[in-house]
Amino acid sequence: MLITSRAFVEISVIIILLLTAGLTAVIFMKYQKNHGLHLLYWGLGLLVFVVSVFLELLMAAGIFSRFLIDLYLFLVAILVDFLAMGSFALFGNKKYLNYYYLYTGLASIFLLITLIIYPVGKIIIHHIVFGPLPLMVVVSSSFVSFPAAFFIILIAALSYKKSRNIKLLSIIAGVIVVSIAGTLYIAAIPVFLYYAEFIGILLLWIGFK
C-alpha cells in the first residue's frame, strides 16, 4: 500500500520533524525574551518530541536496535511530562508543581525499569513504529503520559475559563492528539500515528504562536 511505503513514511516524518523543530524554536525564542519557567518546560518537551520524531525517521529508514526502540518509547512518554510541568509552572502554584516533580520522577523510573526488564522486541512493521508492547511497558508508560495529558488539559481548561483565550482550546486539542497518537494507529492503517502527530503539532502551533 502507498501509505505504508518507505518513501511516504519518511516524507511524513520529515514534515513532522520540520514543523516540530520550528515550533520548538519559537518557544525557546519566547523563553529568551520572557524567561518564563513554563516556556522552558514547553520548549524542552517539544525538543524531546523533535528527538523522538528523528528516531522515527531513523527507524523508517531501517536503522533501529533495542536501545533506540527503548529510547523512543521512553521519550514519547516523558515529552508529555515536560508539557505538563510547563502547564503547572504557568498555573503558578509551586506546591502542585513540586508534587508533580515527585510523581513524574517515580513514574519515569518505573518506566525505565520496565523497559530494561521486559524486552520490547521488533515493533517496526512496514517502516512504521507498530507492534504489540509488553503489558508492563504499556502500564508504566501510561502512568507517565496519561496523568500528564490530563493535567495539561485541566489547567488549559481552567485558564480558558478565566481568560477566554481561544488559543487555549487549540492547545488542549493539540495535546490530546499528540498524547494519544500512539493509540490511534491500527492494523489496517498504522501510519495514523504520523497523521496524528502532524495534526497535533499544527494545533499546538496555532495555540502557542
Side-chain angles (χ1 to χ4, degrees):
M1 294 176 64
L2 175 63
I3 57 173
T4 57
S5 70
R6 176 173 172 175
F8 184 87
V9 172
E10 288 180 350
I11 291 172
S12 300
V13 176
I14 288 171
I15 292 172
I16 297 165
L17 180 62
L18 293 175
L19 285 172
T20 309
L23 179 56
T24 304
V26 169
I27 297 299
F28 275 121
M29 284 189 290
K30 287 188 175 183
Y31 172 70
Q32 285 185 329
K33 290 181 180 179
N34 303 324
H35 299 288
L37 183 60
H38 63 289
L39 293 173
L40 175 61
Y41 282 134
W42 284 341
L44 290 173
L46 290 170
L47 185 60
V48 171
F49 199 3
V50 170
V51 176
S52 66
V53 174
F54 179 72
L55 291 176
E56 289 174 358
L57 183 60
L58 290 181
M59 290 186 280
I63 303 171
F64 58 88
S65 63
R66 180 184 173 184
F67 171 75
L68 289 180
I69 291 173
D70 286 349
L71 177 61
Y72 172 77
L73 293 174
F74 181 74
L75 291 178
V76 295
I78 66 166
L79 74 89
V80 192
D81 254 347
F82 278 110
L83 297 178
M85 285 188 281
S87 295
F88 274 112
L90 182 62
F91 194 62
N93 191 311
K94 289 187 177 181
K95 182 174 71 173
Y96 291 156
L97 180 58
N98 288 334
Y99 285 150
Y100 190 74
Y101 284 152
L102 177 61
Y103 171 80
T104 193
L106 294 174
S108 298
I109 292 171
F110 179 39
L111 174 57
L112 278 174
I113 292 172
T114 57
L115 286 171
I116 293 171
I117 294 176
Y118 300 95
V120 172
K122 183 180 178 181
I123 58 170
I124 313 300
I125 300 175
H126 299 302
H127 316 291
I128 296 169
V129 180
F130 174 69
L133 298 174
L135 177 60
M136 287 305 298
V137 173
V138 174
V139 171
S140 60
S141 61
S142 297
F143 276 130
V144 175
S145 58
F146 285 175
F150 170 78
F151 285 122
I152 293 169
I153 295 166
L154 176 63
I155 293 171
L158 291 173
S159 299
Y160 174 75
K161 186 177 180 181
K162 290 182 179 180
S163 66
R164 298 296 177 181
N165 185 346
I166 197 68
K167 288 187 176 182
L168 289 171
L169 296 180
S170 182
I171 293 174
I172 293 172
V175 168
I176 291 173
V177 174
V178 169
S179 300
I180 66 173
T183 66
L184 290 181
Y185 60 89
I186 56 177
I189 315 178
V191 80
F192 270 171
L193 168 65
Y194 304 117
Y195 292 146
E197 289 177 341
F198 179 78
I199 294 170
I201 286 300
L202 284 179
L203 290 169
L204 288 172
W205 252 110
I206 296 170
F208 284 127
K209 282 194 70 176

